[in-house]
């Protein structure tokens, strides 16, 4: 018997996931019953969701939240598809720069990093690197006078989101330092399909296209795994099952002492062969055996 038979963590994750997502998910737009424009918008969104496999991505993302405590979505524009695409990001790659002294999780940061290590590849002659993608809100112009009217807003905005995508050699990175404090002087900036250098590229949106969903509600920015409260119980079950397994092994294979039995021997060495203990075995015994 193992802990998987009585306290498998995946069962807890699956049950929590089913309660969160329910049986079906639907995209609805307010006022769709009487407004033709809302009906067109709803049909467009449902078509987009089908093309993006939204429900599958939601399953993946929510499983991360239940298991790891958080999930992260990334919205990006695909020139090849001609529409926004949705990606699920490992929450371990998510590094928000939280405001100093923030006491409310609703205060979403103005600067967010997605960072991960790329291992070296001796076959390709490539050294290990650290890649960091940064989304940062800032003024459109240095003096803050420039403004835009975005399609989703009714008033002017002086903000835009800047994208920076850079790499550093691992041997030049202080691994004890802060992801936000990496020196750009040692960075190599990547380029997009249009050949633009991704160093504070203006995305022409006034929001950070990253959605962070914590698994728990509270003042903390990050959530907690649903397994946290059951972790001690699972550990206790695993310990008890391991003890039972060891006891069963001793009971099923008891220690046997023989006297006067004619045990088989190895003809080449003359040494007794190992004796098997199993149901149905018959041993010839001598007098007082």
């Amino acid at each position: 018997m193992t802990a998987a038979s009585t306290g498998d963590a995946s069962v807890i994750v699956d049950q929590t996931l089913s309660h969160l997502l329910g049986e079906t998910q639907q995209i609805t737009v307010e006022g769709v019953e009487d407004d033709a424009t809302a009906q067109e918008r709803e049909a467009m969104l449902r078509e987009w969701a089908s093309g993006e496999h939204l429900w599958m991505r939601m399953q993946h993302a929510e499983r991360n939240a239940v298991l790891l405590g958080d999930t992260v979505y990334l919205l990006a524009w695909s020139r090849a598809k001609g529409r926004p695409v949705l990606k699920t990001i490992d929450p371990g790659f998510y590094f928000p720069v939280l405001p100093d002294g923030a006491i409310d999780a609703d205060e979403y940061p103005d600067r967010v990093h997605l960072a991960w290590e790329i291992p070296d590849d001796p076959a390709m002659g490539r050294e290990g690197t650290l890649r960091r993608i940064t989304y940062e809100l800032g003024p459109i112009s240095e003096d803050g006078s420039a403004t835009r009217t975005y399609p989703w807003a009714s008033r002017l905005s002086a903000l835009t989101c800047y994208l920076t995508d850079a790499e550093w050699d691992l041997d030049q990175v202080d691994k004890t330092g802060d992801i936000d404090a990496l020196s750009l002087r040692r960075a190599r900036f990547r380029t997009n399909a249009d050949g633009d250098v991704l160093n504070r590229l203006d995305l022409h949106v006034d929001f950070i296209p990253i959605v962070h969903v914590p698994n728990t509600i509270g003042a903390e920015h990050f959530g907690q795994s649903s397994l946290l409260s059951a972790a001690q119980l699972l550990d206790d079950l695993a310990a008890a099952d391991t003890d039972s397994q060891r006891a069963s092994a001793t009971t099923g294979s008891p220690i046997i002492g023989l006297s006067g039995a004619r045990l088989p021997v190895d003809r080449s060495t003359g040494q007794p062969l190992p004796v098997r203990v199993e149901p149905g075995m018959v041993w010839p015994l001598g007098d007082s055996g």
Side-chain angles (χ1 to χ4, degrees):
M1 181 187 296
T2 63
S5 61
T6 56
D8 198 331
S10 66
V11 175
I12 299 176
V13 174
D14 291 340
Q15 289 294 324
T16 306
L17 196 62
S18 65
H19 289 304
L20 282 173
L21 296 180
E23 296 181 357
T24 60
Q25 300 83 41
Q26 294 290 337
I27 293 178
T28 58
V29 175
E30 186 177 357
V32 70
E33 297 84 1
D34 305 319
D35 188 347
T37 302
Q39 293 174 4
E40 293 178 1
R41 188 179 299 116
E42 182 179 272
M44 180 186 65
L45 289 173
R46 290 186 175 183
E47 182 181 358
W48 172 83
S50 176
E52 273 302 294
H53 306 289
L54 177 61
W55 316 131
M56 180 189 69
R57 297 185 189 280
M58 286 180 59
Q59 289 273 354
H60 180 204
E62 292 296 343
R63 183 174 293 275
N64 278 344
V66 171
L67 187 60
L68 304 176
D70 299 89
T71 196
V72 178
Y73 294 100
L74 172 63
L75 280 169
W77 180 262
S78 172
R79 289 181 174 85
K81 296 181 179 180
R83 57 177 170 80
V85 294
L86 183 68
K87 300 179 180 179
T88 303
I89 305 298
D90 188 320
F93 298 164
Y94 173 70
F95 296 91
V97 182
L98 299 176
D100 293 336
I103 60 174
D104 192 345
D106 290 337
E107 296 181 21
Y108 196 73
D110 294 335
R111 181 177 171 92
V112 173
H113 303 295
L114 300 176
W116 64 94
E117 289 187 10
I118 302 175
D120 59 346
D121 188 349
M124 300 294 294
R126 185 182 64 194
E127 300 292 335
T129 59
L130 173 67
R131 184 176 177 185
R132 189 188 74 179
I133 302 175
T134 301
Y135 295 88
E136 182 177 13
L137 291 179
I140 298 173
S141 59
E142 292 185 4
D143 60 1
S145 61
T147 59
R148 293 179 186 147
T149 301
Y150 293 102
W152 47 84
S154 58
R155 63 174 181 263
L156 293 174
S157 174
L159 290 178
T160 189
C161 183
Y162 294 100
L163 168 65
T164 301
D165 190 347
E167 284 185 334
W168 288 260
D169 292 331
L170 284 180
D171 58 3
Q172 296 181 352
V173 173
D174 181 7
K175 296 186 178 181
T176 62
D178 190 355
I179 288 292
D180 188 50
L182 294 174
S183 174
L184 293 178
R185 290 180 298 176
R186 297 181 177 181
R188 295 186 300 273
F189 298 101
R190 299 170 72 94
T191 58
N192 61 13
D194 294 334
D196 299 322
V197 178
L198 300 181
N199 182 12
R200 287 186 62 82
L201 179 69
D202 189 347
L203 296 181
H204 290 265
V205 296
D206 61 346
F207 59 89
I208 293 179
I210 294 177
V211 180
H212 167 243
V213 183
N215 187 46
T216 50
I217 299 176
E220 298 293 334
H221 182 82
F222 293 98
Q224 293 183 350
S225 170
S226 296
L227 298 180
L228 189 61
S229 58
Q232 185 60 51
L233 174 62
L234 294 175
D235 287 343
D236 292 343
L237 285 171
D241 288 345
T242 301
D243 293 341
S244 298
Q245 184 181 23
R246 291 173 178 171
S248 298
T250 304
T251 303
S253 300
I255 300 174
I256 302 296
L258 296 177
S259 174
R262 299 175 183 176
L263 301 179
V265 297
D266 189 327
R267 295 183 180 181
S268 60
T269 63
Q271 298 295 324
L273 293 173
V275 178
R276 294 181 301 169
V277 179
E278 60 185 35
M281 291 290 295
V282 177
W283 295 334
L285 301 177
D287 296 339
S288 70

